Amino acid sequence: MTAIPPRRTPLHLGLTGGIGSGKSTVGQMLQHCGAALVDADACSRAVTSAGGSAIAAIRQAFGDEFIDPSGALDRGRMREKAFGDAQAKARLERIVHPLVADGIAQATLAATQAGHRLIVLDIPLLVESPRWAPVLDAVVVVDCSEATQIARVQARSGLDAAAAQAIIAAQASRAQRRSAADIVLFNDGISLAELRTHAGRIATRFGL
Ligand code: ATP
């Protein structure tokens, strides 16, 4: 009889979704259920904050004018440059992405050593990058309509609809994301309480 291989412990659950889909909210709900949460955006902010591991290379590649007086990446200035300059965007990503991946690996190791059974990795660019699929046991995609994404982004940041639409257009499409999903959580027209119920079911399904 073929032995069933032991399930990997802890399980690594990827969590992604477009801007404003609600993935951070779902991540916090899963954390509340007992999962460890590793947040790629937080890792990205850490490496580009004052004293962060990406700052010296960014300064060298782009110049002092992209570092603000506190010593952090000037995000507004870099966003403007990267938006209209694909080469600059790629150069920035070559610096930042491996360092973010290191940060994620360290946080994942710490969660493993702390004895967590489920590690949720909240990775906005999970579908865009081939790096993640091999290290994940399953992928949850939080999905909603573009109209809902735009309404949430506008409510949160005051961006106009056109700016929110441009960000959505630059990300993977809903169809691309859904095709990478083991579980799709449709977060549209449901309350936060209902979303919490769905997150709880996912936590249960993954052993919490
Ligand atoms: P980003 O990619 O921009 O970080 P996100 O996908 O992580 O966005 P969240 O920050 O989780 O999205 O959610 C965006 C906003 O929408 C938050 O203010 C959140 O409280 C709200 N929200 C998410 N889902 C619901 C829901 N079902 N009902 C009401 N508000 C919601």
Side-chain angles (χ1 to χ4, degrees):
M1 202 197 305
T2 313
I4 298 170
R7 288 186 98 187
R8 186 153 69 120
T9 310
L11 284 170
H12 293 59
L13 184 62
L15 174 66
T16 195
I19 185 170
S21 59
K23 60 190 169 303
S24 306
T25 305
V26 172
Q28 284 158 17
M29 289 171 174
L30 292 170
Q31 188 178 34
H32 196 74
C33 295
L37 181 62
V38 175
D39 179 345
D41 266 349
C43 292
S44 175
R45 282 192 298 276
V47 303
T48 55
S49 63
S53 55
I55 293 299
I58 291 172
R59 193 191 292 277
Q60 197 180 19
F62 294 96
D64 284 341
E65 63 270 33
F66 288 91
I67 307 299
D68 74 15
S70 79
L73 170 67
D74 185 331
R75 285 170 207 287
R77 195 156 196 173
M78 184 56 86
R79 201 176 304 121
E80 260 173 42
K81 179 166 181 66
F83 206 70
D85 181 341
Q87 276 188 346
K89 182 168 182 277
R91 199 170 353 140
L92 179 68
E93 288 175 351
R94 275 198 302 277
I95 295 169
V96 171
H97 285 185
L99 295 171
V100 171
D102 285 348
I104 290 173
Q106 281 166 22
T108 303
L109 180 63
T112 304
Q113 288 169 342
H116 283 279
R117 283 178 293 148
L118 178 65
I119 302 178
V120 174
L121 296 103
D122 175 349
I123 303 177
L125 298 180
L126 187 154
V127 172
E128 287 85 342
S129 165
R131 181 192 294 275
W132 301 111
V135 300
L136 298 171
D137 297 294
V139 172
V140 173
V141 167
V142 183
D143 183 44
C144 68
S145 69
E146 280 194 11
T148 298
Q149 283 182 280
I150 290 169
R152 286 188 189 141
V153 170
Q154 285 192 281
R156 188 185 50 194
S157 62
L159 278 183
D160 65 34
Q165 180 71 57
I167 294 171
I168 291 169
Q171 297 185 332
S173 69
R174 289 176 66 194
Q176 283 169 327
R177 254 191 230 101
R178 282 195 304 250
S179 71
D182 296 288
I183 298 171
V184 177
L185 203 174
F186 190 59
N187 180 26
D188 215 333
I190 63 171
S191 67
L192 287 170
E194 288 167 309
L195 185 63
R196 191 170 295 111
T197 301
H198 289 298
R201 286 198 191 116
I202 292 171
T204 305
R205 183 166 161 185
F206 289 97
L208 294 182

